[in-house]
Amino acid sequence: MDPASQDINLNSPNKGLNVDRSDNLADVQVEGAAGSPAHPLPPGLTVEEAEELHIELIKVEEEINTLRQVLSAKERHASELKRKLGLSPLNELKQNITKSWQDVQTSQAYQSASATLEDIAQSEAYKKTQETLSEAGQKTSAAFNTLGTAISRRLGDMRNSPTFKSFEDKVGNLKHKVVGPRGNGDTVSSPTDTTPTQENPPF
């Protein structure tokens, strides 16, 4: 098998197969070629000029591909140098953000906005608004404190009222009737009771 006739492209479906390269490709119409029936020549352009332009286009496209390969190799080399220097993409991003923030802070627009905000903060209207909001907050806080004190006092009065005490006694009596003397945590054991009491029942 002649190595020149083998397809050496590793991604080719014809890899390793014999490819007959004896065909003359000069007669094959290339899509987009100058003067082909699908793409007639622009007016005022001869076939020779079109062929020259087509050849030049092929050369330029080859140069572009070469430059892409060179750029890719340079980027890989730069990445390797950064790795050796201990510069990670995260560190680069942090440096870029820091530099960008410094650029923003030194920009004319940012300084103008900062000066405007300082002017607003120093204005009489801003100071009056701030004082009004502060007073409103203090009054609201005092009102809530007064309300809390009033509710606490009212609940204390209610608890000391005869109606509440009567209700409390009735609930205590009911509890004593339902639970018995064990309700207060006292354990009463009968002398005839032989089963030990469980501290933690299963339910």
Side-chain angles (χ1 to χ4, degrees):
M1 189 180 333
D2 182 19
S5 66
Q6 272 191 326
D7 187 0
I8 59 171
N9 183 355
L10 298 178
N11 294 325
S12 171
N14 300 323
K15 180 174 60 176
L17 299 177
N18 287 336
V19 179
D20 186 14
R21 298 185 188 273
S22 62
D23 292 340
N24 186 2
L25 298 178
D27 297 334
V28 177
Q29 288 286 336
V30 178
E31 186 177 328
S36 68
H39 297 286
L41 292 176
L45 190 65
T46 65
V47 174
E48 291 82 22
E49 291 173 335
E51 287 177 5
E52 286 177 15
L53 292 174
H54 186 66
I55 291 170
E56 187 177 348
L57 175 64
I58 291 172
K59 287 180 182 178
V60 169
E61 287 176 345
E62 287 175 356
E63 289 175 4
I64 290 171
N65 285 333
T66 303
L67 291 173
R68 282 186 182 140
Q69 292 171 356
V70 169
L71 178 63
S72 177
K74 294 285 186 185
E75 287 176 342
R76 282 193 302 272
H77 184 64
S79 296
E80 183 65 23
L81 291 174
K82 287 178 184 177
R83 186 188 62 75
K84 287 180 180 178
L85 289 171
L87 299 174
S88 69
L90 183 60
N91 288 340
E92 284 185 59
L93 179 64
K94 287 178 184 177
Q95 290 174 355
N96 289 342
I97 290 173
T98 303
K99 185 178 182 315
S100 298
W101 178 242
Q102 289 172 349
D103 292 345
V104 166
Q105 287 180 323
T106 58
S107 70
Q108 186 64 31
Y110 180 84
Q111 290 178 353
S112 173
S114 295
T116 303
L117 288 174
E118 281 183 31
D119 292 344
I120 290 172
Q122 299 301 324
S123 70
E124 286 299 316
Y126 178 80
K127 289 179 181 177
K128 286 181 182 177
T129 304
Q130 191 176 20
E131 289 172 8
T132 304
L133 290 174
S134 177
E135 288 175 16
Q138 290 172 356
K139 288 180 181 177
T140 304
S141 177
F144 279 126
N145 285 339
T146 305
L147 180 64
T149 303
I151 290 172
S152 296
R153 189 179 312 126
R154 184 70 179 150
L155 287 174
D157 292 346
M158 242 172 68
R159 182 150 187 188
N160 292 330
S161 72
T163 307
F164 189 80
K165 287 202 181 277
S166 171
F167 177 72
E168 193 175 32
D169 289 341
K170 287 180 183 176
V171 170
N173 289 338
L174 180 64
K175 178 182 173 191
H176 183 68
K177 286 180 182 177
V178 172
V179 178
R182 293 184 190 193
N184 294 332
D186 300 332
T187 56
V188 178
S189 59
S190 166
T192 60
D193 189 11
T194 58
T195 58
T197 58
Q198 277 187 322
E199 288 187 20
N200 296 322
F203 50 90

